[in-house]
Amino acid sequence: QKEVEQDPGPLSVPEGAIVSLNCTYSNSAFQYFMWYRQYSRKGPELLMYTYSSGNKEDGRFTAQVDKSSKYISLFIRDSQPSDSATYLCAIEGGSTLGRLYFGRGTQLTVWP
Amino acid sequence: DAGVIQSPRHEVTEMGQEVTLRCKPISGHNSLFWYRQTMMRGLELLIYFNNNVPIDDSGMPEDRFSAKMPNASFSTLKIQPSEPRDSAVYFCASSPDSDEQYFGPGTRLTVT
């Protein structure tokens, strides 16, 4: 079993839709949870970062962590065509400090 | 700051040839990571350096792969001999505190 599982999609939604992206993880020792965004032919860049259960909001983006279920989510409100990208969840906290475990990424397209 | 710099951006080589990928991390960052990204396997960590010392190389596929970090401002990833299955995008990332990682633009490697 991989440390992090993520549905690769693809996901296609109309502009203005609410998008929900999800990951599950296997190791309860993981403590830090991140979402990276990767535009086509670019490197990933950090979008959201949280270390506790609950919600964290940043503009149109909300990151949610449920440690009891080992489940993390990213919600995008009022999605825009500029949100079209691949979204990767990443988790840290295993035996090697600083090592991130990435999901495969979900490819999102927001059409106007 | 210029961000993480990788070279070359594209590399096409024939099977059996040696390939060397280069990375210059962001100045002041003490952690450096090499990743490989493919459609099938997503983003995989190959090796992780902290203060120029390899911390975790469990992701290095086999003896054909080697990585060095001779100083804080330079790292190389070498594949010798290269094989078609090594075709992927290779990313270098650096981090100031082992949390947020800053990715370079990647090197797209094609082995024919």
Side-chain angles (χ1 to χ4, degrees), chain A residues 36 38 41 97 99 104, chain B residues 37 39 48 56 101 108:
Chain A
Y36 279 76
Q38 184 177 20
R41 296 186 176 268
L97 185 65
R99 176 177 177 153
R104 283 185 55 192
Chain B
Q37 188 176 42
M39 289 292 291
Y48 160 27
D56 185 347
Q101 295 183 17
R108 186 171 297 270

Side-chain angles (χ1 to χ4, degrees), chain A residues 82-95:
Chain A
S82 58
D83 296 329
S84 298
T86 296
Y87 292 80
L88 301 97
C89 59
I91 302 179
E92 182 193 354
S95 57

Side-chain angles (χ1 to χ4, degrees), chain A residues 37-53:
Chain A
R37 179 175 60 193
Q38 184 177 20
Y39 290 113
S40 180
R41 296 186 176 268
K42 302 286 188 182
E45 57 181 356
L46 183 65
L47 183 64
M48 298 280 289
Y49 175 97
T50 184
Y51 60 89
S52 61
S53 282

Side-chain angles (χ1 to χ4, degrees), chain B residues 2 11 18 22-23 41 58-59 69 72 77 90 95 101:
Chain B
E11 177 80 31
E18 177 180 294
R22 297 173 176 80
C23 175
R41 300 174 67 89
S58 60
M69 191 164 186
L77 178 68
Y90 290 81
S95 173
Q101 295 183 17

Side-chain angles (χ1 to χ4, degrees), chain A residues 30-37 45-58 61-65 67 72-74 88-93 97-100 102, chain B residues 95-102:
Chain A
F30 288 138
Q31 300 177 43
Y32 303 98
F33 308 91
M34 306 168 200
W35 285 93
Y36 279 76
R37 179 175 60 193
E45 57 181 356
L46 183 65
L47 183 64
M48 298 280 289
Y49 175 97
T50 184
Y51 60 89
S52 61
S53 282
N55 294 350
K56 181 177 182 180
E57 193 172 314
D58 184 0
F61 298 88
T62 300
Q64 187 176 81
V65 177
K67 288 187 176 180
I72 65 173
S73 300
L74 178 70
L88 301 97
C89 59
I91 302 179
E92 182 193 354
L97 185 65
R99 176 177 177 153
L100 295 184
F102 281 89
Chain B
S95 173
D97 53 9
S98 297
D99 285 338
E100 178 173 358
Q101 295 183 17
Y102 296 78

